[in-house]
DNA sequence: TCTGGGGTCCTAGGACCC
DNA sequence: TCTGGGGTCCTAGGACCC
């Protein structure tokens, strides 16, 4: 049976999470900042109404926020992550096939349901009731159409939060597609919008009516799939939850510019620890470690530098110590003294499931005793808080730490930060 | 002063091989 | 004088997503 895709997407997810636990904020405009308190990554409905744009650097909007009483919050991923998994378990309870696409979005397969649209309303109601999260539901025969339907559901109040393309005639759908710019299509970003505009393709309908082959020649295979999906031909399949990641990254900009190699080393060892933890959590090993280092591209007055280097391991590993040694070797290769660095990070590549690597008798493998130590460390860090236990080689240095001035409490995961109700 | 982090997929170009 | 071309692998980088 062909799948029927329902995209369930929470409205203003981060802002909503903040409001749920602090009723005083219920009707106030609110924005949530990125890591490091750099730019605005989420806005409540009231902030959107004030015209605050997504992604804006907060320093350009600080005065505006003060003037209009906008509440500014640092991001609290512990809280959002926990709310996200609650949302996911409700969806999994309501539908056997769920693909978690991002922290606040999932695709569901509603094929076989007697009335997908009605079920969409039920899903919406249940999320509202159980966790106070409002979402939009877009339903269609392809992922790209369900994305577009979701957008229509959110933008047009008359649909009550659910839009199903299958409930509309082709003529009606054409009218909807003609009414929205091509930039609303999933997979069409800024650059493509510009190029398509030059070619006279300005609305969703314009794109849907393009010839697949010529689009492929001019724009590549990705956009060709998008065109076909807009016409109802499914090209992107359903992926079940729990696929192991093929790359694992950990990177962060420094709170300030950093030139001291020891501070960079400290940051890098921290990133490796986090990445290795994620690697072990999905029961994988990796064979490559990429190290990235760069200056701040926004500071045009500074000398610019960015480099990545790949360090292959001599055996696939999930041992923090092994990965750490490789990362530090990479850092020595690309570090240039005297520059003002802004960000560093690591990426683990060539990831495969642990335990099935091809090895011959003489190829080194991870030391099982060390692996038991790692898994013990992981479980303690999981329950007692990240960083409770770490390898001695993980250097502690405050020089590069993030800023997060206005983070709300981790209401749902930390005993010390539970919400308090006064009777 | 202050501009995120994590992920995927595709493509172009160089190196290398036969 | 004339000095291949196609396949594959790797890497870097770009585009997109949220």
């Amino acid at each position: 049976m062909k799948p029927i895709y329902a995209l369930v997407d929470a409205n203003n997810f981060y802002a909503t999470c903040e409001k749920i636990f602090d009723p005083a904020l219920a009707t106030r405009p609110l924005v949530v900042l990125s890591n490091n308190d750099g730019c605005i990554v989420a806005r409540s409905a009231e902030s959107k109404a004030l015209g605050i744009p997504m992604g804006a650097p907060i320093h350009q909007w600080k005065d505006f926020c003060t003037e209009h009483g906008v509440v500014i919050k640092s991001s609290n991923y512990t809280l959002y992550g926990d709310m996200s998994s609650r949302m996911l378990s409700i969806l999994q309870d309501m539908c056997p096939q769920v693909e978690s696409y991002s922290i606040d979005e999932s695709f569901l397969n509603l094929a076989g349901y007697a009335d997908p649209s009605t079920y969409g309303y039920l899903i919406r109601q249940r999320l509202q009731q159980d966790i106070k999260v409002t979402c939009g539901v877009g339903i269609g025969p392809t992922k790209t159409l369900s994305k577009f339907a979701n957008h229509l559901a959110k933008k047009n109040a008359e649909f009550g939060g659910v839009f199903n393309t299958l409930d509309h005639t082709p003529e009606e759908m054409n009218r909807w597609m003609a009414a929205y710019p091509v930039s609303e299509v999933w997979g069409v970003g800024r650059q493509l919008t510009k190029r398509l505009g030059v070619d006279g393709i300005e609305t969703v309908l314009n794109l849907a009516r393009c010839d697949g082959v010529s689009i492929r020649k001019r724009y590549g295979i990705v956009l060709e799939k998008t065109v076909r999906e807009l016409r109802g031909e499914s090209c992107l399949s359903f992926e079940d939850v729990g696929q192991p990641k093929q790359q694992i990254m950990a990177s962060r900009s420094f709170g300030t510019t950093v030139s001291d190699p020891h501070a960079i080393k400290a940051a890098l060892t921290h990133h490796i620890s986090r990445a290795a933890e994620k690697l072990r959590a999905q029961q994988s090993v990796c064979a490559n470690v990429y190290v990235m280092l760069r200056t701040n591209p926004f500071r045009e007055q500074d000398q610019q530098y960015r480099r990545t280097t790949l360090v292959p391991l001599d055996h696939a590993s999930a041992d923090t110590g092994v990965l750490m040694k490789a990362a530090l070797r990479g850092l020595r290769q690309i570090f240039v003294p005297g520059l003002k660095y802004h960000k560093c990070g690591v990426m683990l590549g060539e990831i495969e499931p642990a335990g099935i690597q091809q090895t011959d008798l003489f190829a080194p493998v991870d030391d099982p005793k060390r692996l038991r130590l790692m898994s013990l460390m992981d479980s303690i860090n999981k329950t007692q808080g990240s960083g409770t236990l770490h390898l001695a080689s993980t250097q502690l240095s405050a020089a590069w730490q993030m800023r997060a001035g206005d983070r709300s409490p981790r209401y749902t995961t930390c005993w010390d930060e539970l919400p308090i109700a006064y009777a």
Side-chain angles (χ1 to χ4, degrees):
Chain A
M1 193 174 358
K2 276 192 190 167
I4 293 176
Y5 293 97
L7 179 72
V8 181
D9 181 343
N11 296 352
N12 317 322
F13 185 62
Y14 296 171
T16 303
C17 290
E18 294 292 341
K19 291 191 171 201
I20 291 169
F21 291 95
D22 190 351
L25 302 178
T27 58
R28 294 191 60 187
L30 181 149
V31 297
V32 179
L33 305 182
S34 60
N35 280 318
N36 261 328
D37 292 349
C39 49
I40 296 167
V41 295
R43 303 156 297 157
S44 71
E46 301 82 10
S47 307
K48 287 181 187 173
L50 285 172
I52 300 173
M54 179 69 170
I58 185 64
H59 66 93
Q60 288 172 4
W61 287 82
K62 208 127 207 182
D63 293 344
F64 180 92
C65 289
T66 315
E67 200 179 311
H68 291 84
V70 178
V71 179
I72 302 173
K73 288 282 187 181
S74 299
S75 45
N76 182 348
Y77 287 101
T78 317
L79 176 65
Y80 312 150
D82 184 63
M83 290 301 291
S84 171
S85 60
R86 288 168 196 233
M87 183 171 157
L88 185 59
S89 42
I90 291 171
L91 295 176
Q92 284 168 331
D93 186 44
M94 295 190 75
C95 177
Q97 211 180 0
V98 178
E99 173 190 341
S100 158
Y101 174 70
S102 78
I103 192 158
D104 69 339
E105 277 174 76
S106 295
F107 289 103
L108 276 59
N109 184 0
L110 295 187
Y113 285 71
D115 183 354
S117 307
T118 305
Y119 205 68
Y121 287 107
L122 276 179
I123 291 170
R124 208 169 168 264
Q125 207 175 31
R126 171 97 186 264
L127 288 170
Q128 181 74 63
Q129 241 163 37
D130 289 10
I131 57 170
K132 304 276 176 280
V133 167
T134 306
C135 64
V137 181
I139 302 171
T142 69
K143 282 185 165 180
T144 305
L145 281 173
S146 73
K147 271 278 199 182
F148 182 57
N150 187 281
H151 186 72
L152 295 176
K154 283 188 172 176
K155 292 285 165 185
N156 299 278
E158 67 266 32
F159 296 117
V162 179
F163 187 102
N164 184 351
T165 66
L166 301 164
D167 294 344
H168 295 260
T169 64
E171 293 71 35
E172 281 171 340
M173 279 316 297
N174 284 350
R175 276 202 294 279
W176 283 114
M177 288 190 176
Y180 286 84
V182 71
S183 55
E184 289 303 340
V185 174
W186 189 39
V188 178
R190 268 223 313 280
Q191 304 303 319
L192 277 174
T193 300
K194 227 188 288 172
R195 286 181 60 198
L196 288 167
V198 172
D199 289 349
I201 300 162
E202 282 172 351
T203 66
V204 181
L205 185 63
N206 290 156
L207 184 63
R209 288 192 163 161
C210 282
D211 168 55
V213 177
S214 26
I215 285 286
R216 182 189 198 134
K217 269 196 208 131
R218 198 160 163 72
Y219 294 93
I221 190 169
V222 180
L223 196 65
E224 186 202 358
K225 283 185 184 170
T226 300
V227 167
R228 286 163 44 179
E229 285 239 322
L230 280 176
R231 283 206 286 264
E233 182 188 339
S234 183
C235 302
L236 306 170
S237 66
F238 209 92
E239 283 161 44
D240 288 303
V241 180
Q243 291 290 316
K245 303 262 181 277
Q246 294 166 40
Q247 301 171 2
I248 291 173
M249 288 180 44
S251 73
R252 201 137 287 186
S253 43
F254 306 121
T256 162
T257 54
V258 172
S259 299
D260 175 15
H262 296 100
I264 294 172
K265 204 170 143 189
L268 204 63
T269 56
H270 177 81
H271 298 330
I272 273 287
S273 300
R274 284 200 311 138
E277 238 172 78
K278 291 190 211 172
L279 185 68
R280 293 191 292 268
Q282 66 169 33
Q283 269 109 50
S284 301
V285 293
C286 74
N288 279 337
V289 177
Y290 294 81
V291 183
M292 294 161 267
L293 184 64
R294 68 163 216 216
T295 54
N296 186 347
F298 291 101
R299 290 178 59 95
E300 287 167 7
Q301 68 273 33
D302 290 352
Q303 190 189 337
Q304 292 297 312
Y305 178 80
R306 61 185 282 179
R307 267 200 75 183
T308 316
T309 189
L310 170 111
V311 185
L313 305 180
D314 59 4
H315 70 283
S317 171
D319 181 330
T320 303
V322 171
L323 304 185
M324 197 91 86
K325 254 171 80 182
L328 294 179
R329 200 160 75 230
L331 178 63
R332 279 195 297 277
Q333 283 167 26
I334 60 177
F335 178 80
V336 176
L339 297 177
K340 292 178 181 163
Y341 293 101
H342 172 248
K343 181 175 180 176
C344 74
V346 295
M347 190 181 97
L348 309 181
E350 293 264 305
I351 291 176
E352 49 186 283
I356 65 150
Q357 312 89 290
Q358 295 237 328
T359 57
D360 62 62
L361 218 49
F362 303 101
V365 289
D366 278 343
D367 175 355
K369 264 194 277 181
R370 295 258 318 169
L371 287 181
R372 279 203 297 280
L373 170 69
M374 298 283 147
S375 84
L376 183 66
M377 231 170 61
D378 290 344
S379 66
I380 289 174
N381 283 335
K382 203 170 167 191
T383 52
Q384 303 297 308
S386 160
T388 304
L389 277 187
H390 55 85
L391 294 184
S393 49
T394 308
Q395 308 199 2
L396 299 174
S397 162
W400 59 276
Q401 287 290 355
M402 292 202 289
R403 289 185 299 267
D406 309 294
R407 180 179 59 72
S408 49
R410 289 164 288 197
Y411 296 109
T412 57
T413 56
C414 241
W415 288 112
D416 298 342
E417 300 179 12
L418 289 180
I420 297 166
Y422 296 97

